[in-house]
Amino acid sequence: MTQWTTKRRMNPITTDTLLEALRWRYATKQFDPTRKIPAELWKALESTLVLTPSSFGLQPWKFLIIKDAGLRERLVPHSWKQRQIADASHLVVMTVRKKIDTAYVDHLMAATAKARGIPVETIAGYRKLIVGDVVEGDRSKISTEWAIRQAYIALGNLMTSAALLGIDTCPMEGFEPAPYDEILGLAAQGFTTAVLCPVGYRADTDKYASLAKVRFPVSEMIEYR
Amino acid sequence: MTQWTTKRRMNPITTDTLLEALRWRYATKQFDPTRKIPAELWKALESTLVLTPSSFGLQPWKFLIIKDAGLRERLVPHSWKQRQIADASHLVVMTVRKKIDTAYVDHLMAATAKARGIPVETIAGYRKLIVGDVVEGDRSKISTEWAIRQAYIALGNLMTSAALLGIDTCPMEGFEPAPYDEILGLAAQGFTTAVLCPVGYRADTDKYASLAKVRFPVSEMIEYR
């Protein structure tokens, strides 16, 4: 198991580098089907997915990476016929657990105890807090929706991370969840499709790449109190 | 109005820099109340919020930045008594529009026409697509939830962006939306509180900063098809 540590010091990037990447990013309408993401870069994006923060650290998701060309073509008609599904280097289907049960919470407790080298009994309070909210409390009433929200954190993280590596993405809500769940066999596993993100490289011919980005004025979007 | 362009070339960062920042990041439990984010860095984070991608580019949010110390103290009891609300350098309250109406879509159309120097009539198809989905179609039935999902993209983007700049964050779902909406006067504006994110610098005494990060194995979280 990979050891993730929060201890390391880090060297910040400049604000120019960050904002340049966020301005460069756009919802790619046309991917270059001949350009594949190099293995080392893809590996890093895989790590960014796994490192995505989630409520209570529950990671209520599974990221499906669809490589099979035939399967991707089958998904196109259920994706508003958008070609990015088939043409992008990688297709990320973000799926989530419809329910969180105590077994899954215990799975996290075991992983936590192992990663931190502590007895699982010492985190009983943490377990109780999660169960009281997500398994039995208020959050359990909206558990699928709660899990989908977490997937959108992953989406935000993935788009920003990819842009910083010079890789294009296209966030996609335009798909039919039911056929996706059926084709991907998710129902039997207790999962459902939350959102999609084709990842790859923009085609030279994508006219959307050079359009001015549209944002409402900062004064409308941000308010100080 | 700031001009955002997608045309610029950009210089990618390395995968090491990216992953180092994501590993360094953690949900900060204790902020150093004496350390404030320098104005230039905060300005960049403000831009990352505004640059957040959203479905159809609708930006169905307003980001409230709470500076007033008294107001922040008033919010603490409605935030599971978590001190990050009061102690972080900046408190970002992500609020969203409960409904998207045609007037708001037209507001986006006007901004788009202006930014791109085109007559608004030329994007009538784009307008129709949005209205058919978010104002009158399937998405309109879950419009508040849909907007909250978009706010979670902003949350993911903000946490990753901040980490890359060496700034700490704490995503927070542990709050009571109703008192937040009332105290911040959101109901009258048709907005509601989606999620919170205190932003600032970790305290030296935060023992959570040095705990091993817990993630399920990559093999459980990512599946290739």
Side-chain angles (χ1 to χ4, degrees):
Chain A
M1 188 170 154
T2 316
Q3 279 298 321
W4 309 107
T5 170
T6 54
K7 282 185 200 173
R8 293 172 64 178
R9 293 194 62 79
M10 54 88 66
N11 301 301
I13 64 173
T14 67
T15 57
D16 280 351
T17 298
L18 173 64
L19 295 178
E20 190 178 65
L22 295 180
R23 286 177 181 139
W24 173 84
R25 189 210 66 79
Y26 76 112
T28 303
K29 296 291 182 296
Q30 218 185 331
F31 283 91
D32 182 342
T34 68
R35 285 192 70 190
K36 300 295 171 199
I37 299 170
E40 186 216 333
L41 288 180
W42 174 254
K43 197 86 189 156
L45 287 181
E46 202 180 59
S47 295
T48 69
L49 285 171
V50 172
L51 282 164
T52 300
S54 57
S55 182
F56 295 119
L58 273 168
Q59 313 161 62
W61 43 52
K62 188 175 280 187
F63 304 108
L64 303 186
I65 318 299
I66 317 294
K67 303 183 84 169
D68 184 81
L71 181 52
R72 286 169 65 167
E73 285 296 344
R74 273 181 72 200
L75 294 171
V76 172
H78 302 294
S79 317
W80 298 10
K81 297 183 187 159
Q82 296 173 91
R83 288 301 305 169
Q84 297 99 310
I85 293 295
D87 291 343
S89 170
H90 290 62
L91 171 61
V92 181
V93 178
M94 298 189 168
T95 76
V96 295
R97 285 175 187 271
K98 294 169 83 167
K99 277 275 172 202
I100 301 294
D101 56 20
T102 51
Y104 188 70
V105 177
D106 284 331
H107 184 43
L108 177 64
M109 294 304 103
T112 303
K114 190 180 168 190
R116 297 183 176 165
I118 53 172
V120 78
E121 295 73 33
T122 60
I123 48 175
Y126 174 39
R127 181 186 186 282
K128 195 177 165 190
L129 187 70
I130 300 177
V131 170
D133 188 34
V134 181
V135 181
E136 296 169 356
D138 283 351
R139 217 80 65 180
S140 69
K141 295 171 201 153
I142 56 157
S143 59
T144 303
E145 189 48 55
W146 167 85
I148 291 176
R149 294 179 189 177
Q150 311 306 312
Y152 276 66
I153 299 177
L155 179 63
N157 177 35
L158 176 61
M159 290 193 283
T160 299
S161 294
L164 283 154
L165 298 178
I167 296 170
D168 288 303
T169 52
C170 184
M172 283 180 47
E173 289 185 338
F175 67 96
E176 302 156 40
Y180 259 78
D181 291 356
E182 195 187 318
I183 291 170
L184 299 171
L186 297 177
Q189 299 176 32
F191 281 73
T192 189
T193 306
V195 69
L196 316 176
C197 194
V199 185
Y201 295 99
R202 61 189 72 178
D204 290 338
T205 47
D206 189 358
K207 63 184 195 316
Y208 289 90
S210 58
L211 291 179
K213 195 179 280 304
V214 180
R215 289 295 185 275
F216 292 124
V218 176
S219 58
E220 278 180 37
M221 296 291 105
I222 303 212
E223 195 177 306
Y224 288 86
R225 295 284 182 91
Chain B
M1 187 170 152
T2 316
Q3 279 298 319
W4 308 107
T5 171
T6 56
K7 283 184 198 172
R8 292 172 65 177
R9 295 193 61 78
M10 54 87 69
N11 302 301
I13 64 173
T14 67
T15 57
D16 280 352
T17 299
L18 174 64
L19 295 178
E20 189 178 65
L22 295 179
R23 285 177 183 139
W24 173 84
R25 189 210 67 77
Y26 77 110
T28 303
K29 296 290 182 294
Q30 217 186 327
F31 284 90
D32 182 340
T34 68
R35 283 191 71 190
K36 300 297 170 197
I37 300 170
E40 188 216 333
L41 289 180
W42 174 254
K43 197 86 189 157
L45 286 181
E46 200 180 60
S47 295
T48 69
L49 285 170
V50 171
L51 282 164
T52 301
S54 58
S55 181
F56 296 118
L58 274 169
Q59 311 161 64
W61 44 51
K62 187 174 281 186
F63 304 108
L64 304 187
I65 318 298
I66 316 293
K67 303 183 83 171
D68 184 81
L71 181 52
R72 287 168 67 167
E73 286 294 347
R74 272 182 71 199
L75 294 171
V76 171
H78 303 294
S79 317
W80 297 10
K81 297 185 187 159
Q82 296 172 92
R83 288 300 306 169
Q84 297 100 310
I85 293 296
D87 290 344
S89 171
H90 290 62
L91 170 62
V92 181
V93 178
M94 299 190 168
T95 76
V96 295
R97 286 175 185 271
K98 294 170 83 167
K99 276 278 173 199
I100 301 294
D101 56 19
T102 50
Y104 188 69
V105 177
D106 284 330
H107 184 42
L108 178 65
M109 294 303 104
T112 304
K114 189 180 170 192
R116 294 181 179 166
I118 53 172
V120 77
E121 296 74 33
T122 61
I123 49 174
Y126 173 40
R127 181 185 186 283
K128 195 178 164 188
L129 187 70
I130 299 176
V131 171
D133 190 33
V134 182
V135 181
E136 295 168 356
D138 283 351
R139 216 80 65 180
S140 69
K141 294 169 204 157
I142 55 157
S143 59
T144 303
E145 189 48 53
W146 167 85
I148 292 175
R149 293 179 190 177
Q150 311 306 313
Y152 276 66
I153 299 177
L155 180 64
N157 176 37
L158 176 62
M159 289 192 284
T160 298
S161 295
L164 283 155
L165 298 179
I167 296 169
D168 288 303
T169 53
C170 184
M172 283 181 47
E173 288 184 336
F175 67 97
E176 303 156 39
Y180 259 77
D181 292 357
E182 196 187 316
I183 290 170
L184 299 171
L186 297 176
Q189 300 175 31
F191 281 73
T192 189
T193 306
V195 69
L196 315 176
C197 194
V199 185
Y201 295 99
R202 61 188 72 175
D204 289 339
T205 46
D206 189 357
K207 63 186 195 314
Y208 289 90
S210 58
L211 291 180
K213 195 179 280 302
V214 179
R215 288 297 184 273
F216 292 125
V218 176
S219 59
E220 278 180 36
M221 294 292 104
I222 303 215
E223 195 177 305
Y224 288 86
R225 294 283 182 91

